[in-house]
Amino acid sequence: MKNKILHISYILLAVLAFAACKDNTSDLSLGGDCAVTALTLDTYKGVIDTKTQTVVVNVPEVFDESAMTVTELTLSAGATANIAKGQKLNMRTPRTLRVTNGDVFVDWTVSVRHDEARIYQFRLNGKYNGVINEEQKTISVYVPAGTDLKALVPSITLSEGASVTPLSGVATDFTQPVAYTVTNNTAKAVYTVTVTEIDAPEALFVGIPASKEDLSIEELTACEWMLANVPKTLYASFGEIAAGTVDMSKCKVIWWHFHRDGGVDGKERFEAAAPEALAAQVQLRNFYNGGGSFLFTRYATNMPAFIGAVKNEGCPNNCWGGAEASPEFVGGPWSFFITGKTSHPLYQNLMQGEDANQVYTCDKGYGITNSTAQWHIGADWGGYESTDYWRTATGGVDLGWGGDGAIVVWEFLPSDGRGRIVCIGSGCYDWFTTATVEESFHANIAKMTRNAFDYLMQ
């Protein structure tokens, strides 16, 4: 019996040893180390990170990396690799460098990074976003009148590995334009930053909180995009509009993107969820009757009923939504239909998908709340037996539809001196995700919104 127990123990030890040998990152290093200690492509030395097992080779901003020669490759003693010194590599995509030493191997990722000297975001005092013109290398920042320009603190987002002078985070006098020099190895760029006080913005992003920093993350993402991409724009609360403390004499467009986790379903629930907006409805109605235009998105699409834009004072009759903390991760691109409306200004120059009659707004892996405010069409329920009946009852013009025919994008045309209103209630229209997804179809959200501003500001 004792010999049998010992025999079983030997078998277990052999199995454990075999499992350890199969782990290519094992600390046992059975055949020796598999480190890369030096790698040079052409004349450009790689930066080695042993923790991530990566080698990054920086090259000039304009450089053809399709045929780079391995001029230096140094490995641990006794190690070999699948790439050899003198070999030519196409480095337009990362390469795997497998280093083998005895019975173990380690895969290293070798990639090329172009030197880039670029400012991606410029913000003053944590709330005023700069509008960046990359072609002209200018940055325009608009701040409310009365702001002290002599000690504004910039926060600057740069290309990876780049540095900037004057420094980010240092109080700076912006009473005159300030030149910011960005350097990154061989790359260099100079941006001129101009700060302008505006007491009469040309467009407003409105919301319930007194400060934009208290917006929901979905609302804030949309707001900051607008402040960084639409010139002469500011954030204003409904309280400020109701109090008349915002100069709207030059304002052409007001945008409200309203989010609530779980959705806002029905007119009564909207009234309960947004009393601050309703407290400003007289001022908003006056703006509209005077020729001002609106962009209402997500649950803000209920608001036209309260400012005299909807004939029957109706609101979207089919609304729902999830929570930002527990989004739905999509399995493929989401879209809505625009058949017959592809020439509308809202849909110009978007990234095309498989079907030109659809607008695609996100990609596989995107986390979405599917927050929807739409008009159900059908004799079964909802009060609108057909699209024609909906048009007659509401005075609206349908511009986009869900797969079941529900109206998800619509507008109210100017008449009798009143402005234009564009409403986007599709669940596909989403600004923020917790997921890390490569920007592809999602760029259509910003482009479509930019189109809406151009359309409404005519």
Side-chain angles (χ1 to χ4, degrees), residues 60-262:
E61 193 168 13
V62 179
F63 183 84
D64 182 5
E65 67 273 35
S66 62
M68 299 187 73
T69 302
V70 181
T71 54
E72 180 185 20
L73 179 60
T74 307
L75 311 173
S76 303
T80 59
N82 63 327
I83 293 174
K85 184 177 178 180
Q87 186 174 344
K88 284 190 177 294
L89 303 175
N90 182 348
M91 292 304 302
R92 288 179 176 171
T93 58
R95 301 292 295 263
T96 297
L97 172 65
R98 173 164 291 187
V99 180
T100 304
N101 204 338
D103 297 324
V104 296
F105 67 86
V106 171
D107 284 339
W108 295 73
T109 300
V110 182
S111 60
V112 163
R113 181 173 63 201
H114 287 258
D115 294 341
E116 182 183 65
R118 184 170 175 178
I119 293 178
Y120 281 99
Q121 185 181 69
F122 190 95
R123 181 182 296 179
L124 292 175
N125 286 10
K127 54 183 177 180
Y128 305 121
N129 286 0
V131 179
I132 302 174
N133 185 317
E134 184 59 33
E135 183 178 348
Q136 298 181 11
K137 293 293 187 293
T138 61
I139 301 176
S140 301
V141 188
Y142 301 96
V143 300
T147 302
D148 182 5
L149 304 186
K150 294 183 178 180
L152 296 172
V153 180
S155 56
I156 309 172
T157 302
L158 304 169
S159 306
E160 186 176 354
S163 60
V164 64
T165 56
L167 296 175
S168 177
V170 176
T172 304
D173 184 346
F174 285 97
T175 53
Q176 298 294 325
V178 178
Y180 279 82
T181 302
V182 184
T183 57
N184 188 359
N185 294 320
T186 62
K188 179 179 179 180
V190 179
Y191 291 80
T192 300
V193 179
T194 303
V195 179
T196 304
E197 294 181 77
I198 54 173
D199 50 7
E202 294 185 3
L204 287 172
F205 187 102
V206 296
I208 291 173
S211 169
K212 75 177 179 67
E213 281 68 37
D214 294 323
L215 292 167
S216 72
I217 187 62
E218 169 69 23
E219 297 166 339
L220 181 61
T221 304
C223 177
E224 292 195 334
W225 173 87
M226 172 180 167
L227 297 178
N229 290 277
V230 183
K232 298 183 180 180
T233 58
L234 293 175
Y235 172 80
S237 69
F238 286 112
E240 291 174 304
I241 291 176
T245 58
V246 179
D247 186 346
M248 298 172 61
S249 61
K250 295 182 181 179
C251 188
K252 298 177 181 179
V253 180
I254 293 176
W255 180 19
W256 184 21
H257 182 62
F258 180 36
H259 172 79
R260 277 287 189 276
D261 277 355

Side-chain angles (χ1 to χ4, degrees), residues 247-364:
D247 186 346
M248 298 172 61
S249 61
K250 295 182 181 179
C251 188
K252 298 177 181 179
V253 180
I254 293 176
W255 180 19
W256 184 21
H257 182 62
F258 180 36
H259 172 79
R260 277 287 189 276
D261 277 355
V264 180
D265 187 15
K267 195 169 186 178
E268 291 184 0
R269 291 187 179 180
F270 175 77
E271 291 173 333
E276 298 87 349
L278 299 185
Q281 65 181 297
V282 171
Q283 291 77 12
L284 297 176
R285 183 188 290 257
N286 290 340
F287 174 77
Y288 175 53
N289 289 338
S293 294
F294 288 95
L295 174 60
F296 289 125
T297 51
R298 197 158 287 191
Y299 305 121
T301 55
N302 287 275
M303 197 65 193
F306 296 89
I307 60 173
V310 188
K311 283 184 180 180
N312 65 354
E313 298 184 353
C315 290
N317 61 2
N318 191 15
C319 308
W320 69 85
E324 293 288 1
S326 54
E328 176 181 355
F329 294 95
V330 305
W334 278 23
S335 63
F336 61 88
F337 292 89
I338 59 171
T339 306
K341 297 292 183 177
T342 55
S343 62
H344 192 277
L346 199 61
Y347 304 132
Q348 300 311 298
N349 302 313
L350 302 183
M351 181 180 294
Q352 293 292 317
E354 294 181 357
D355 184 352
N357 290 309
Q358 296 185 53
V359 172
Y360 297 83
T361 64
C362 60
D363 299 89
K364 181 178 180 180

